[in-house]
């Protein structure tokens, strides 16, 4: 089968804020959950479980081609889901160059000018967990003190690069 070795994280696409996310420790459990969800015609995805992340992920707030704020979210004890709605805690962090590059690339691939890109720090570098096209601002602004809304407004209001004009007769006028 396509499944790598367990544990697996199985997510319902309809789920938000950590609801509909399951961790299965055994292959038989993963198969059972997958069969059940298929029987319900549910849309879901299966991800590998990154144990070394220890229930933490990194929310990078991408605006244009930069990460304007980043926070590390930590799951409450006994849970692997770091969503703040589930009692996770958040603190500001500096994203590494690799993390910034990965977050910006993930947003670009999906054609998003603004995105909340969730990364996991793994042994093999940053892994994209999820990309949110309408990320909430409260959590990240509170954790980092960055005026993320202001960054978004500046980005949206910034004029596009004007087309380069070749100075030809008529373009330069004497006043």
């Amino acid at each position: 089968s396509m499944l790598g070795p367990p544990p697996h994280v199985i997510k319902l696409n309809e789920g938000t804020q950590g609801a509909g996310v399951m961790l299965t420790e055994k292959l038989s459990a993963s198969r059972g959950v997958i069969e059940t969800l298929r029987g319900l015609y549910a849309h879901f995805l299966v991800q590998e479980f990154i144990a070394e992340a220890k229930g933490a992920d990194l929310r990078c707030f991408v605006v244009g081609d930069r990460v304007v704020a980043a926070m590390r979210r930590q799951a409450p004890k006994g849970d692997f889901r770091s969503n703040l709605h589930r009692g996770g805690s958040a603190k500001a962090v500096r994203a590494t160059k690799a993390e910034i590059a990965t977050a910006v690339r993930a947003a670009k691939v999906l054609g998003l000018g603004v995105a909340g890109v969730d990364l996991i720090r793994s042994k093999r570098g940053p892994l994209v967990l999820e990309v949110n096209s309408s990320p909430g601002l409260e959590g990240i602004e509170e954790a980092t003190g960055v005026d993320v809304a202001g960054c978004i407004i500046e980005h949206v209001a910034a004029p596009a690069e004007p087309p380069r004009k070749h100075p030809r007769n008529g373009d330069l006028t004497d006043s």
Side-chain angles (χ1 to χ4, degrees), residues 23 27 40 55 73 81 84 106 110 115 135 141 148 165 171:
L23 176 63
L27 193 54
L40 295 169
R73 299 184 304 183
R81 298 169 297 182
L84 300 183
L110 295 172
E141 287 193 333
V148 178
K165 274 193 175 175
D171 272 4

Side-chain angles (χ1 to χ4, degrees), residues 33-107:
V33 169
I34 289 168
E35 277 169 27
T36 302
L37 293 176
R38 279 201 181 128
L40 295 169
Y41 298 100
H43 296 281
F44 63 94
L45 56 91
V46 181
Q47 294 175 327
E48 78 183 285
F49 177 65
I50 307 294
E52 67 265 27
K54 293 189 166 50
D57 70 12
L58 202 70
R59 161 63 60 97
C60 291
F61 210 108
V62 177
V63 178
D65 55 3
R66 62 198 186 103
V67 169
V68 298
M71 65 179 174
R72 183 174 184 270
R73 299 184 304 183
Q74 180 65 55
K77 209 169 169 55
D79 198 345
F80 68 100
R81 298 169 297 182
S82 66
N83 305 69
L84 300 183
H85 295 87
R86 304 212 152 259
S89 59
K91 61 174 193 193
V93 289
R94 283 184 92 102
T96 66
K97 274 190 175 149
E99 287 161 353
I100 290 167
T102 301
V104 169
R105 192 167 69 239

